Amino acid sequence: MRVFDLTYGNGFRCLHHLDVAKILRRQREAREQPLSSPERTGPTTISSRPSWQLDQSPDDQLVSMTTDEASEAGESILGLYYALRPNEGGSRTTSGGGRKPAFLQTDDTIVRDLLEKAPMLLVATPGCLVQVNAHSYEVASYIDFQDPLPSESFIEETEKCISLSGSFAFAQAEDIRQVWCLAGSIFQKTVNVLKIQHPSCIPSKSKPLTNQFSETLRISDDGAGDVVIKEQIDSGTDTDAEITVLSSTPLLVNSPLKSELVPKTKETTPPKKGKLWPPAGAKKSSATDSQPLTFKTKIKSSGYTDAPRMNMFSPVTSKSRGGSAGSRRSSSSSSTSANRTLTKEYPMDAQYPTNMKVKLNVVEQPIPINCIAFSDDGQNLAVALSNKSSQVFKMPLTGKGTAFTGHNGVVNTVSWSHSNQWLLTSSADKTARLWHKTQTEPVLTIDNINNNFTMDKEGPKAVDKNNPPFTKEIKHCRFYYVDKFILLTNGNTMYMYKYHLDDKPKDDIKRYQTKNRYKLVKSLQMDRAQQITALSSVNGFHSYIVLCAGSNKSIEVFDMNKAQSVRVVPDVHTRPVHTICQNEGSTYVSHSPNAYDLFLTAAPTDGIKLWDLRTNRCVRRYDGHMNRVHSCGLAFSPCAKYIATGSEDRTAYIFDIRAGTYVHRLTGHTDVVSDVKFHPLYPELVTASMDGKIRLYSDR
């Protein structure tokens, strides 16, 4: 089944391809797996040989025969119907009875449009009926006609099976929450009348929509032999607490988020008065050569110092401490400009950027760009390159950037601190480095798992078994909890570190004697994944939630206040997720609390999905771009109205968050668009490509 865009000017392109036969096979396998799994005992054999070359046991042959000789109902699509979404009855009022003040009111129209009940697409086959969410193309319910269904009929039997159907007809009932369906039988002279309820009208908080594909059905008889199928309401209670990004619970007593790294200070004891030289116990030497030379009386001058001395040369060694009047003037002007910028707001009614303003080559030779990141104030742009370096550009994009070299491998990601002063990079050389934006040398290097307390010890460094180095490359790094912690991913483990930076002014010699330290606070693993493929967390405000995507196609939600996994969403995409993007907004805009629970995921060949963290379900799906191999970036606009993504067809796409198709294509790139980022203050978009070029687009 294919879904096309009929909007004028879009070329009637195909938006999504839904393999109904694959959905039916998955449902049948899920139903047969619980029956066959308890009988299987012993280890599982994993082989690279094809299935027809493997030696099958009699039990395996029986299972395969049962699967092959299953219902021959067929997988042809006999009917389609688009069921309108039910109306949200009642008026929307604030939860407190009173009206909020003007400064606390936020426009949550976009969030309400995204989270409202979606229309359903009914797909009928000879042996089953499938309800598909028309926004996310996820299976909402699955009805198998060959299963015995409970019936409330007083004439016929208590359980009834519907025979294979050859034709279908649909109609929306007077109650828009229900759909009437006529199913004509092939082998019997009967027509079954089905009354199907919209899945979203049934409260099922205890089970997420993505994992609940089948509902309990009820068959009733209207007295004339008409069979009515309805979905029963699950009476189970929800025992799990709601998971949100903006948590209202306080920190636990033993929460790892309370941890801090306080450096130890050496206590200097003043010398005792009256203490003679040499100290007690030392051997006295009779030789005069070993005695100190002292003058008991004042030496008269020879007259050479009568004239005042002249300083022929006086180098400025404390330039960073004091500074000249010009530097003080520039620093004061920069601080006033920063304060002036903080008073601005992002234009919420601005259009998406379409006009290219700046085109810049980051390096002279074509070098792939892996990641780009804006600072929270929007005054700096960091770029991670494959030539073992990263660069920082000042906004607006003019001239060359400042290069930060020190890694011995490809720089995978870059991340800015909330204070806009520190830059964090991760690399394939199994290290992560922390930089100050004005210094080209790293101030902190994270290369061991536990800490770096022994880095200043003299002599050859021995491998500490209790503090081993990282064995794999560090894929992702982020500041967390408003710059209090650092998050890293290595293999299938996520590490959270506390750190201390010695920001006292130093001269050219003491700056090599670093006192910057880090220490491991907590490490959490994705047990069922071999590698963490994506990491996302919020640093602009205090949040307990961290999202990790694994190589097993799942997403795991960690609550760092409890230091444990609180939710696992399996089979998010058909392939492992390469990017997770949360709706953080920006420093210059605010949203309703529900808007921060939205996040995006992307995987090769499976498009983009928009998820709601509270309900644990996919609410939208976006297709139209090309993503087969590379990791193309994702970005929310600060106004949360648009989504930008890269593509392998040398184009960047901009989607309307409330629609399933793109609204504009940014062409002109000469290679794969690897990452995209919106400016936090202005309606501008920066795109990065695999040939080492960045482009700036604006709405004007």
Side-chain angles (χ1 to χ4, degrees), residues 180-311:
W180 292 95
C181 174
L182 298 178
S185 176
I186 298 178
F187 304 108
Q188 299 177 2
K189 299 179 181 179
T190 59
V191 175
N192 297 316
V193 181
L194 312 179
K195 190 176 182 180
I196 306 171
Q197 191 174 0
H198 196 283
S200 61
C201 298
I202 302 176
S204 57
K205 297 181 181 179
S206 59
K207 296 180 181 180
L209 187 62
T210 54
N211 300 335
Q212 185 176 357
F213 294 130
S214 60
E215 303 288 345
T216 304
L217 300 180
R218 174 167 56 90
I219 299 183
S220 62
D221 199 312
D222 293 346
D226 295 338
V227 181
V228 179
I229 294 184
K230 296 182 180 180
E231 298 182 4
Q232 294 181 347
I233 299 176
D234 187 8
S235 60
T237 58
D238 183 18
T239 58
D240 297 335
E242 188 180 48
I243 301 176
T244 59
V245 173
L246 294 173
S247 180
S248 58
T249 59
L251 290 175
L252 300 177
V253 178
N254 56 348
S255 174
L257 298 179
K258 291 184 176 181
S259 178
E260 293 183 1
L261 183 60
V262 179
K264 295 181 180 180
T265 57
K266 295 182 179 180
E267 297 181 358
T268 58
T269 57
K272 297 181 180 180
K273 295 183 178 180
K275 189 176 182 180
L276 302 177
W277 184 266
K283 296 181 180 180
K284 297 182 180 180
S285 176
S286 59
T288 57
D289 297 339
S290 61
Q291 299 297 328
L293 180 62
T294 58
F295 297 94
K296 303 297 182 181
T297 58
K298 186 176 180 180
I299 305 300
K300 294 183 179 181
S301 175
S302 59
Y304 290 102
T305 58
D306 293 342
R309 295 183 178 180
M310 295 180 59
N311 293 332

Side-chain angles (χ1 to χ4, degrees), residues 151-158 220-226:
S151 175
E152 295 180 355
S153 173
F154 296 99
I155 301 176
E156 300 181 357
E157 62 276 7
T158 58
S220 62
D221 199 312
D222 293 346
D226 295 338

Side-chain angles (χ1 to χ4, degrees), residues 298-343:
K298 186 176 180 180
I299 305 300
K300 294 183 179 181
S301 175
S302 59
Y304 290 102
T305 58
D306 293 342
R309 295 183 178 180
M310 295 180 59
N311 293 332
M312 302 297 295
F313 176 69
S314 179
V316 179
T317 58
S318 59
K319 194 172 183 179
S320 60
R321 297 183 185 181
S324 59
S327 63
R328 289 193 296 268
R329 192 183 303 110
S330 61
S331 62
S332 62
S333 62
S334 62
S335 62
T336 54
S337 63
N339 296 332
R340 193 183 304 112
T341 304
L342 291 176
T343 59

Side-chain angles (χ1 to χ4, degrees), residues 47 131 141 147 155 157 178 225 231 238 307-308 339 347 378 456 492 495 532 553 574 673 681:
S47 176
Q131 291 193 69
S141 66
D147 287 343
I155 301 176
E157 62 276 7
Q178 298 173 349
E231 298 182 4
D238 183 18
N339 296 332
D456 290 338
N492 66 339
Y495 300 93
I532 296 178
K553 309 175 189 176
T574 57
V673 180
L681 179 57

Side-chain angles (χ1 to χ4, degrees), residues 524-692:
L524 299 171
Q525 287 186 349
M526 295 186 66
D527 297 330
R528 300 182 179 180
Q530 296 182 354
Q531 186 177 4
I532 296 178
T533 57
L535 172 70
S536 179
S537 64
V538 176
N539 188 46
F541 50 87
H542 294 94
S543 175
Y544 305 155
I545 301 300
V546 176
L547 304 177
C548 291
S551 55
N552 59 343
K553 309 175 189 176
S554 68
I555 288 182
E556 196 159 353
V557 183
F558 294 98
D559 188 348
M560 303 309 296
N561 186 26
K562 303 177 182 178
Q564 65 182 8
S565 174
V566 294
R567 179 181 295 169
V568 177
V569 185
D571 297 329
V572 176
H573 288 270
T574 57
R575 295 181 63 180
V577 176
H578 60 65
T579 305
I580 302 178
C581 180
Q582 290 182 261
N583 181 27
E584 303 182 37
S586 72
T587 311
Y588 309 99
V589 68
S590 62
H591 297 288
S592 62
N594 297 338
Y596 295 102
D597 294 323
L598 301 176
F599 66 94
L600 294 167
T601 60
T605 68
D606 199 28
I608 303 171
K609 291 184 179 181
L610 178 65
W611 299 80
D612 182 18
L613 183 63
R614 297 173 304 151
T615 59
N616 192 27
R617 65 187 179 95
C618 177
V619 296
R620 281 292 192 280
R621 182 187 177 95
Y622 308 95
D623 293 285
H625 64 292
M626 181 185 297
N627 184 12
R628 297 176 181 176
V629 179
H630 298 280
S631 174
C632 300
L634 275 175
F636 268 107
S637 64
C639 61
K641 293 181 179 179
Y642 305 106
I643 297 171
T645 181
S647 179
E648 296 177 4
D649 57 356
R650 303 178 182 180
T651 307
Y653 290 79
I654 299 179
F655 294 86
D656 188 344
I657 195 172
R658 288 173 287 190
T661 180
Y662 59 83
V663 294
H664 192 74
R665 298 169 66 245
L666 301 176
T667 59
H669 300 84
T670 55
D671 208 332
V672 176
V673 180
S674 57
D675 201 4
V676 291
K677 284 295 183 294
F678 280 97
H679 195 282
L681 179 57
Y682 305 108
E684 298 176 347
L685 177 69
V686 174
T687 63
S689 56
M690 299 292 287
D691 57 355

Side-chain angles (χ1 to χ4, degrees), residues 10 22 103 105 113-114 125 208 228 230 269 274 408 411 413 423 431 437 463 478 497 507 533 538-539 554 564 582 694:
N10 289 342
K22 189 175 181 180
F103 64 90
Q105 295 180 8
D113 292 345
L114 291 173
T125 63
V228 179
K230 296 182 180 180
T269 57
N408 295 323
V411 180
T413 55
L423 182 67
T431 64
K437 67 176 183 179
V463 178
R478 287 186 68 90
Y497 293 95
D507 54 17
T533 57
V538 176
N539 188 46
S554 68
Q564 65 182 8
Q582 290 182 261
I694 56 178

